[in-house]
Amino acid sequence: MHIFKKSAFQIYNRTKNFHYSSSRFFSNQSHFEDVSSSMASHLKTRSVIRFRGPDTIKFLQGLVTNDVRKFGEAIGEKTSTLTTPNVSTVSETPIYAAMLTPQGRFLYDLFIYRPSRSYEKLDRTGSKPGSNPTDEPFDLLADVDATVMDELMDCFHKYRLRSNVDIENVSEEFSCWQRFGKNLSTSSESKEEPETSALGWGAGIDKAGQSSTKGDSSGWQWYKDPRLDSLGFRGIFPSNTIPPLVEANKETDELNYLQWRVEKGVAEGSTEIPKGEAMPLEYNFAGLNAISFDKGCYVGQELVARTHHRGVIRKRLLPLKFVDKSGNEVEQKVAPRSEVVGVSSDKKLGTVTTALGSRGMGLLRLEEAFKASGSLSIKGQDDVKIEVIRPDWWPSEWFPDHQHASVA
């Protein structure tokens, strides 16, 4: 499946943002409005790090914004419906987290996974639990931005000190994938892949078929994206395999996944979230389940906690649409880091962070952005107007009109 042709894209700034050029945009509609099936993308902009050793949990707990202690707890009753030997009978969902500077500014983001252990899966016969070898190491895998892999590895090694944890770049062994699209469930509480429920005979579900479709012979499987249900499913898989449910006509370029995120106002990686500059709460990390406010101390925690408890966040990352004076979408007119200004006042209200054809994301002052949507433009480009899109996943208290109502 190729919604966008690769040749239609060009990199505006390889370390910052993408531009897209195509005639297939829909006025007042999502770019994917006429796409009925789900899609899957191999995320070549992401790489994989493995943490191994008894101090892994303690080491990461003091570095990242989310609580990783759940990976060290017994999974207990969190049983999976997948009952065949190839997939774990119990599983723990991944978490999304960030690393910050001591001043609380964004550095790196990462998705952390706990691979299933031997005793959590059935043995090869499927008749009893697997063995529990005493020498099986404790592992966690992290899906990270490939463009900063070297400096991220240096950062981890700087903090490791005497911690008994090995940190290894395993990008040759593993790859990151994302499944997304309109037909993936956004309301189900289940962590299992929705398309597998159609497998089996009649109205019944064939658990064996479901398992073999969702996972492979080593137990790798899809998980709901820990940020938002509408982002679909994410997973780490061996590089020498194609993940389950990824058929030839469903695999699509990674830039389609970027477009999917841009329309929802979700930035990802140090290429889209300015490293050393971005404030996590302004980039909506709390709403993306990336921050635990009761986990205790970590690097940069003080500023994040103080800002959160004050409850005042005047700027946020927002999805944008670029149009001309007649309201028609325009492409390739806006560059990242362009200033957003009011048409009448010429006052700076924010900055475009990502530009992708006629869509983008920008860090804007909320009060003026929603009040003046349609009356915003790019500084020095009076022929380009900006429409601010209200994200449907935002909690109501983030919108200025709700804040005014609360004060009244």
Side-chain angles (χ1 to χ4, degrees):
M1 174 182 293
H2 295 284
I3 301 174
F4 309 145
K5 292 182 180 179
K6 250 185 171 179
S7 59
F9 290 94
Q10 68 177 90
I11 302 299
Y12 171 76
N13 180 328
R14 191 171 186 85
T15 61
K16 287 295 178 187
N17 284 287
F18 297 96
H19 263 289
Y20 166 68
S21 175
S22 170
S23 60
R24 288 195 62 209
F25 272 100
F26 299 86
S27 179
N28 303 317
Q29 290 185 337
S30 164
H31 190 78
F32 301 92
E33 194 67 29
D34 63 345
V35 180
S36 59
S37 63
S38 63
M39 297 163 280
S41 295
H42 175 197
L43 306 183
K44 297 178 182 179
T45 59
R46 307 292 292 187
S47 294
V48 182
I49 292 175
R50 178 167 60 206
F51 302 92
R52 170 172 288 175
D55 291 345
T56 294
I57 298 292
K58 181 180 179 181
F59 172 71
L60 289 174
Q61 184 71 0
L63 289 180
V64 303
T65 56
N66 219 332
D67 196 337
V68 299
R69 289 175 297 182
K70 73 169 190 172
F71 293 123
E73 299 170 352
I75 296 181
E77 296 301 318
K78 297 179 183 178
T79 57
S80 169
T81 59
L82 309 174
T83 56
T84 57
N86 56 333
V87 176
S88 176
T89 57
V90 291
S91 61
E92 186 64 82
T93 55
I95 64 171
Y96 183 54
M99 290 180 63
L100 311 178
T101 68
Q103 294 75 35
R105 305 282 178 167
F106 173 85
L107 278 177
Y108 315 107
D109 68 345
L110 54 166
F111 297 80
I112 304 175
Y113 298 76
R114 177 186 180 277
S116 299
R117 300 169 72 79
S118 299
Y119 64 86
E120 294 168 352
K121 296 183 284 187
L122 300 179
D123 67 7
R124 300 310 304 170
T125 68
S127 61
K128 60 182 180 180
S131 61
N132 183 11
T134 56
D135 60 347
E136 185 175 17
F138 180 85
D139 289 353
L140 290 180
L141 296 177
D143 152 0
V144 303
D145 187 340
T147 64
V148 294
M149 170 61 92
D150 290 342
E151 62 182 81
L152 180 54
M153 290 291 291
D154 289 343
C155 183
F156 280 131
H157 282 109
K158 179 182 72 173
Y159 281 112
R160 183 175 60 175
L161 300 177
R162 293 185 176 86
S163 297
N164 189 356
V165 54
D166 293 325
I167 307 164
E168 184 181 2
N169 179 350
V170 290
S171 300
E172 294 296 319
E173 297 178 47
F174 299 104
S175 299
C176 306
W177 288 75
Q178 186 88 19
R179 292 193 69 246
F180 59 101
K182 286 170 35 176
N183 71 333
L184 293 181
S185 172
T186 59
S187 59
S188 171
E189 292 300 316
S190 171
K191 303 300 180 186
E192 311 300 347
E193 166 57 59
E195 287 194 9
T196 60
S197 63
L199 299 172
W201 301 96
I205 297 175
D206 178 359
K207 300 297 185 183
Q210 187 184 63
S211 178
S212 61
T213 304
K214 184 177 181 202
D216 67 10
S217 60
S218 300
W220 304 98
Q221 62 188 87
W222 293 103
Y223 294 94
K224 250 186 185 178
D225 193 302
R227 297 167 296 178
L228 299 172
D229 286 353
S230 59
L231 290 176
F233 286 73
R234 198 173 183 104
I236 292 176
F237 297 89
S239 295
N240 60 357
T241 65
I242 298 296
L245 293 171
V246 179
E247 301 163 12
N249 65 337
K250 289 188 176 184
E251 185 175 350
T252 187
D253 192 275
E254 182 178 353
L255 286 166
N256 286 308
Y257 167 59
L258 173 59
Q259 179 77 38
W260 186 259
R261 284 192 293 103
V262 165
E263 292 189 4
K264 291 171 171 36
V266 178
E268 181 177 302
S270 303
T271 57
E272 296 174 31
I273 310 171
K275 186 162 62 71
E277 301 176 18
M279 301 284 289
L281 297 183
E282 292 182 347
Y283 277 73
N284 306 321
F285 272 49
L288 296 173
N289 302 312
I291 300 175
S292 170
F293 292 103
D294 55 9
K295 63 166 282 185
C297 295
Y298 55 87
V299 177
Q301 179 259 351
E302 184 178 355
L303 179 63
V304 173
R306 185 167 65 244
T307 305
H308 171 70
H309 290 300
R310 283 178 178 171
V312 179
I313 301 172
R314 294 186 170 87
K315 294 187 295 182
R316 287 191 184 274
L317 188 73
L318 288 158
L320 308 174
K321 182 163 63 173
F322 310 127
V323 300
D324 60 21
K325 293 181 179 180
S326 300
N328 301 313
E329 297 186 18
V330 295
E331 305 170 17
Q332 295 290 80
K333 292 283 190 178
V334 180
R337 297 191 177 275
S338 298
E339 288 189 12
V340 178
V341 298
V343 172
S344 57
S345 66
D346 204 39
K347 175 185 175 182
K348 180 180 178 180
L349 303 179
T351 305
V352 174
T353 60
T354 302
L356 194 61
S358 62
R359 301 299 179 102
M361 294 184 287
L363 186 66
L364 306 181
R365 293 181 63 87
L366 291 174
E367 184 77 25
E368 292 90 344
F370 285 110
K371 183 188 300 182
S373 181
S375 300
L376 306 177
S377 66
I378 298 296
K379 187 176 181 64
Q381 294 179 255
D382 295 338
D383 58 330
V384 179
K385 307 301 180 186
I386 294 177
E387 294 182 4
V388 176
I389 300 170
R390 294 174 69 97
D392 57 9
W393 59 271
W394 275 27
S396 59
E397 59 266 24
W398 284 9
F399 293 100
D401 47 5
H402 180 275
Q403 295 172 1
H404 291 321
S406 298
V407 172

